[in-house]
Each structure stands twice: as C-alpha cells, then as structure tokens.
C-alpha cells in the first residue's frame, strides 16, 4: 500500500493570493478529508469528498474549495488568503466517511504561511 | 460548536511509568470516537476507532476504554517508553446528518524521559 502524500511541504504566500494544495490518497480509498490545524489547536475539519462529490463541510467560508479526481487524489483551494489562514493543512484518506467507523490515514501536511 | 476536551494538556513521565489521559465529549448523540498518535515531523497515525459503550480496545501496551453515557474515553499506556512520546488526539463524531463530521480535541502531549 502506498501512503497518503501531500504537496508542497511548505508554502509562503501573501494576503489576497490564491493557493492550491494537493493530496494523493492511499490506494483503494474513495474518501478524502481536509483539515486545518492552527497553532495550539486540534485539527479542524474543512470538508470531505466521497467519490468526487463534497460530502460534509465544516465551519469554513466558501473561499475554501476543493476537488476530488477520478483517481481519488484531491486539491484544496483557498482564495483571497488571509493572515489567519496560516496553518498546517492535513489531508486524510479512508474507505468510508471521515468520522465514521473506518480508519483514516493522514498525510504529513502542508505548512502554509501567509504574510 | 461541539466541545471535545482532552486532559491533561501535557504530561511528562519517566520511562516505565504507566499513564492515562482523558477525552471528554458530549454524552448525547454519539456515533464514533477515534484516537490518534502524532509524533513530531510525522503524520497522525490511527490507534483506535471506538463505537460501542463499554468498548475496550488494545494495541500492544496501549489500550482505550469508552463510556458514551457519561461522555468520556480513557487512553492508557502501560510501561511508557521514550518512543511513546507524541501528541495523542481524540476525535468525536456525533450521529445523524449522514456526513459524520469529526471534531478533534487539542491533544495531550506526552513526553517520556529515559
């Protein structure tokens, strides 16, 4: 089994810019979830994609959007970056929905800094 | 906003000590609870998925219990080793809605001193 990978590892952007983060799911998994972890906090659920459709969104504005591709890899797009978007962004893949009874496998994260 | 609390926030123990920490969550409308271990510079790693009141799960020296009626789960580590040093996260999922969105606690940071 190949693990979950994320790219890039680190990224620096300025306010107002747009960013795309990428995630490759573990082989055989049809669900990918994205999380934001700000300093001192636990991971916060952004949204999840199940078979290319968004299925559940946390308390994040519409400028956070995503895609899941037929090979189940995924992108997280953030428009109009704000300073508070600086965080570690994690993706996780699983055979079922994120908080369900299936195990989630996490990637190593992308550290985004917004200046 | 769901309240998932983990305590203590951090813990320092000596090698060989046994330790435990707590995850508290709303006692109504429970669906699942996940425990993760997150070592520095690595990816969070799933430890347990717990779904039934009274569940007990074990993996080597680590075990967990679940009480959904009172809204808590305990994670135990027996005979801590330096390689157990990590942040331990729990994630609570309420039932209903169909999307099963998890809410994470802030984690317990465990440092095991040789």
């Amino acid at each position: 089994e190949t693990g979950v990978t994320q790219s890039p590892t680190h990224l620096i952007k300025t306010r107002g810019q747009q960013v795309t983060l990428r995630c490759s799911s573990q082989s055989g998994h049809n669900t990918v979830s994205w999380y934001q972890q700000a300093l001192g906090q636990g991971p916060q659920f952004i949204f999840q994609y199940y078979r290319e459709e968004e299925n559940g969104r946390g308390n994040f504005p519409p400028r956070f959007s995503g895609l899941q591709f037929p090979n189940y890899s995924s992108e997280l797009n953030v428009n109009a970056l704000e300073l508070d978007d600086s965080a570690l962004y994690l993706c996780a893949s699983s055979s079922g929905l994120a908080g369900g009874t299936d195990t989630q496998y996490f990637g190593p994260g992308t550290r985004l800094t917004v200046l | 906003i769901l309240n998932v609390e983990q305590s203590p926030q951090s813990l320092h123990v000596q090698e060989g000590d046994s330790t435990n920490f707590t995850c508290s969550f709303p006692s109504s409308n429970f669906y699942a609870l996940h425990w993760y271990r997150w070592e520095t510079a690595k990816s969070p790693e799933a430890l347990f998925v717990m779904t039934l009141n009274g569940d007990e799960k074990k993996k080597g020296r680590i075990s967990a219990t679940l009480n959904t009626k009172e809204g808590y789960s305990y994670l135990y580590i027996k005979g801590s080793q330096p390689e157990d040093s990590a942040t331990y996260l729990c994630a609570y999922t309420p039932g209903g809605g169909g999307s099963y969105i998890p809410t994470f606690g802030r984690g317990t940071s465990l440092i095991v001193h040789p």
Side-chain angles (χ1 to χ4, degrees):
Chain A
E1 277 188 352
T2 56
V4 178
T5 61
Q6 291 186 244
S7 62
T9 307
H10 296 88
L11 201 50
I12 298 175
K13 292 284 190 178
T14 55
R15 271 187 306 175
Q17 286 189 308
Q18 179 265 343
V19 70
T20 297
L21 310 182
R22 294 180 174 83
C23 173
S24 289
S25 302
Q26 189 157 309
S27 176
H29 288 174
N30 53 24
T31 302
V32 66
S33 310
W34 285 93
Y35 299 86
Q36 180 196 68
Q37 192 197 24
L39 204 60
Q41 306 292 318
Q44 270 196 285
F45 179 88
I46 303 174
F47 44 56
Q48 68 183 340
Y49 280 79
Y50 173 69
R51 295 185 175 177
E52 302 177 55
E53 298 280 333
E54 186 180 295
N55 186 322
R57 170 179 277 263
N59 191 26
F60 282 82
R63 59 190 185 83
F64 285 78
S65 63
L67 282 173
Q68 187 183 29
F69 299 101
N71 65 357
Y72 300 131
S73 63
S74 177
E75 286 182 355
L76 165 66
N77 299 292
V78 187
N79 292 323
L81 284 166
E82 300 177 0
L83 296 179
D84 284 349
D85 296 333
S86 295
L88 180 70
Y89 289 84
L90 293 163
C91 80
S93 74
S94 53
S95 301
L97 296 177
T101 56
D102 293 289
T103 298
Q104 281 198 103
Y105 296 85
F106 280 85
T110 293
R111 172 75 60 187
L112 173 65
T113 302
V114 182
L115 303 175
Chain B
I1 296 177
L2 298 172
N3 201 23
V4 179
E5 300 284 343
Q6 290 191 247
S7 63
Q9 186 175 340
S10 65
L11 197 52
H12 289 249
V13 301
Q14 290 296 128
E15 182 175 355
D17 288 350
S18 293
T19 187
N20 65 87
F21 17 95
T22 307
C23 173
S24 301
F25 49 84
S27 58
S28 60
N29 197 26
F30 176 87
Y31 184 74
L33 186 91
H34 293 239
W35 280 102
Y36 296 91
R37 174 171 60 199
W38 194 356
E39 296 178 65
T40 302
K42 293 189 177 180
S43 307
E45 173 197 358
L47 289 173
F48 306 114
V49 180
M50 309 185 81
T51 57
L52 298 174
N53 184 43
D55 251 357
E56 290 189 31
K57 297 274 176 104
K58 188 172 180 182
K59 187 175 183 176
R61 294 179 291 99
I62 305 177
S63 60
T65 61
L66 179 67
N67 184 325
T68 61
K69 295 186 187 307
E70 295 184 39
Y72 65 83
S73 177
Y74 292 142
L75 190 78
Y76 301 90
I77 302 179
K78 185 177 177 182
S80 302
Q81 300 296 309
E83 58 265 31
D84 296 328
S85 298
T87 295
Y88 291 82
L89 291 165
C90 67
Y92 159 78
T93 304
S99 295
Y100 302 118
I101 293 174
T103 298
F104 280 79
R106 295 186 181 194
T108 293
S109 173
L110 174 67
I111 296 174
V112 182
H113 298 278

